[in-house]
Structure formats: structure tokens, C-alpha cells
Amino acid sequence: MIDIPRELAASQEKFNGEAGRAFIAGLPDLTAGFLDRWELAPDGPPMHGVSALVLPVIRRDGTTAVLKLQLLDEESEGEPVALRAWDGDGAVRLLDHDEPTGTMLLERLDETRMLSLVADPHQAVVTIAELLAHLTSFPAPPGLRRLGDIARAMLDQTPWALPRIPDPEARALIADCAAAVREVVDEPGDRLLHWDLHDENVLSSDRAPWLAIDPKPLAGDPGFELWPALDNRYDPDDILWRFDAMTDILALDRSRARAWTLGRLLQNALWDIEDGRPLDDDQLEIARRLRKPRSGKI
């Protein structure tokens, strides 16, 4: 019997309601079924994020792996597509996949060596940028969600959202973010994006110093990838250094990267407004700092 972490059950209840409750209720049988089907033996306590159960296992041939079980949705269904495209080159390797349930068997990385544990935030930002430069060099496979469609949907939703922001300065800032997205929406890009490469989604392994995990892939412009590294270990005085370092390493046009990065704030703000949450002050400050033109830079 696999113990289902209470935190995972609570997050599924919060974010997915009845579907989340049904997923948690069926998780013990689902796990047992894949342990039997793929001839796996549990090899430690289960781990979890917001949406997935990750169980360390040993395969029949004695190699280690992890079994990842998650509720199939528009984000998780693209994960095996991206991992197959990268094929272990800069990202965790996909070993097996069940399409109907979204269950995956993945190589086991070292969860005790996470990029978030690196003391120097500049080193962490450079590591993320170097990984992104490699991962986004791959063209997006067919069938992934497309940044252009997401951006147009955000722009369609903005007129509804703006009157629901009570603070005039914040409302003007979100309007500026939408204006920036409007300038680039017709050229959304075609690269394979991870979309969620923060410093807890980068782990070490014996075969590579750092590998990406848990993509929520899109087809689009690499400028849309920078936000998590600006928000990790938030430091307002470091935002511009991080932005410049990442755009240099990824060889991005700074004006376009700025627009797509402001698009990430627009996306987050729309989610907050939909859910009745206040806008995040730290995220607003990131946008304030980025939208100010600087000589020779943005």
C-alpha cells in the first residue's frame, strides 16, 4: 500500500475539485497497477509536488527510476512529448509512458542535489540560462500548446480583468504588460519551451551536472522562459542583472524578451484575478523594473 501525502491530496482538492478527489481516490490502485505492469519495486518513500506523486522504484534489471503519476490535463499531456524530443539531452530521460493516464517512468536523478540549494543566486541563474539556451534550441514537436494562442487568449481577457484591479498604478502596469504582448503576439516563435524552469526543477545526476525536470511545454519564443529565474529568491536589486545575463546567454533580442517576460506577469495576474487573489507585489516590482528603458540595454 502506498501512502498518499496529505499535501498532495489537499492541492488536488484545491486546484482540481472533484477531478482531483477522484484522482487521489484512485491513486493507490493506479500505482499498484503500474508497479505490476512495468515490473517495478518501490525503493523509498513517495515524493510529490503540487500535482504529481513521484515514487522511487527499482526496475527488473536492477536500475533505479521514478514512477510519476499525475492527473492528465493540458499541461501534463505535453510533458512526454517534450521529454522524447530532448531524449535526455539537458533534461530527465523518459523511460516509459502510458498515454491514457499520463503515467511516466523516468530516470532517477538526485533529489538531494537541487539547484535551489546552490548558495550563489547568480550561479543558479546562469545555470538555468545555459540549460534554457540548449533546451530551446530544439524545434517544438507538433501537437504542443502554442504560445501565440495563449497570448491571444490573454489579450482577449485583459479588458475584463483591468477594471477588477483596484489600484490604479497596478492597473496601468498590467495594461502596459498587455501592450507589450500585443507588439510581439504575431511572432510567437516555434522553439520547444519548458515554461517552468525554476531552481527546484533542476536536479543533478551522475551523468550530467544539471538536468531539467517537470516541463509544462509550449511552442514559442524563448523570451517567455525567463520569468522563473527572475522570481526565484526574489531580490529587486538583482532583477536587471539576471535579465541581462539570461538574454546574453540565450542570445535573445532584449526588446522581444522584455515583452514576453512582461507577458508572464500578465498571465500570472489574470490567474490571480480569476481566482480572487490580490496581485503579487514582488511580481509587480519585477515588471516595474523591466519596463524602464536603459541606455544600451532594454
Side-chain angles (χ1 to χ4, degrees):
M1 176 65 70
I2 302 298
D3 291 327
I4 307 302
R6 285 177 292 181
E7 296 86 354
L8 177 61
S11 66
Q12 284 289 343
E13 169 85 25
K14 177 180 178 180
F15 293 111
N16 296 311
E18 181 56 39
R21 290 191 292 273
F23 170 71
I24 293 298
L27 199 47
D29 287 343
L30 185 68
T31 303
F34 278 102
L35 290 174
D36 180 64
R37 173 176 165 183
W38 286 339
E39 300 182 278
L40 307 171
D43 187 39
M47 301 172 285
H48 68 92
V50 173
S51 59
L53 181 75
V54 179
L55 181 65
V57 294
I58 297 178
R59 305 173 78 187
R60 185 180 182 183
D61 64 4
T63 59
T64 61
V66 294
L67 181 66
K68 183 175 183 179
L69 305 107
Q70 58 192 343
L71 187 65
L72 193 61
D73 58 22
E74 66 175 2
E75 291 186 354
S76 61
E77 69 182 2
E79 184 173 355
V81 178
L83 294 179
R84 283 196 191 97
W86 288 319
D87 193 24
D89 190 0
V92 65
R93 181 169 282 120
L94 178 67
L95 304 175
D96 211 336
H97 171 232
D98 179 67
E99 188 171 349
T101 64
T103 302
M104 292 181 291
L105 187 66
L106 302 166
E107 74 171 309
R108 193 188 304 184
L109 307 183
D110 188 347
E111 74 278 3
T112 69
R113 292 189 288 164
M114 187 179 292
L115 188 59
S116 61
L117 301 176
V118 170
D120 181 358
H122 283 189
Q123 181 183 341
V125 167
V126 168
T127 296
I128 286 177
E130 290 172 345
L131 272 176
L132 287 174
H134 183 69
L135 296 174
T136 60
S137 70
F138 288 71
L144 289 180
R145 297 180 300 157
R146 307 198 69 83
L147 177 56
D149 296 334
I150 292 170
R152 290 184 186 93
M154 292 193 299
L155 293 176
D156 288 344
Q157 194 178 7
T158 299
W160 167 86
L162 288 177
R164 291 166 169 80
I165 302 174
D167 177 67
E169 190 271 340
R171 186 164 60 246
L173 183 59
I174 299 304
D176 284 352
C177 291
V181 172
R182 203 170 288 115
E183 292 177 0
V184 295
V185 69
D186 291 332
E187 297 181 73
D190 64 355
R191 300 290 89 190
L192 177 53
L193 308 186
H194 182 288
W195 184 82
D196 194 28
L197 199 60
H198 55 75
D199 59 8
E200 293 186 354
N201 273 346
V202 180
L203 300 179
S204 187
S205 79
D206 291 338
R207 71 174 179 87
W210 298 111
L211 293 168
I213 65 168
D214 201 23
K216 306 292 187 289
L218 302 173
D221 190 302
F224 203 61
E225 294 275 46
L226 308 185
W227 182 269
L230 298 175
D231 197 31
N232 287 164
R233 297 189 243 185
Y234 173 73
D235 179 351
D237 294 329
D238 207 34
I239 290 167
L240 298 181
W241 183 93
R242 297 182 190 190
F243 181 84
D244 290 343
M246 286 190 290
T247 51
D248 281 345
I249 292 169
L250 276 86
L252 299 180
D253 176 86
R254 282 201 168 100
S255 179
R256 289 182 58 79
R258 169 186 173 273
W260 284 120
T261 302
L262 293 176
R264 290 293 289 266
L265 173 65
L266 176 62
Q267 186 177 57
N268 292 343
L270 291 171
W271 287 336
D272 287 340
I273 294 164
E274 277 187 347
D275 293 340
R277 298 188 300 264
L279 302 187
D280 186 283
D281 288 337
D282 293 349
Q283 295 192 6
L284 291 173
E285 184 59 22
I286 293 173
R288 290 187 190 100
R289 304 242 175 173
L290 287 180
R291 72 173 180 170
K292 294 178 181 178
R294 294 179 292 142
S295 175
K297 294 293 183 181
I298 298 176

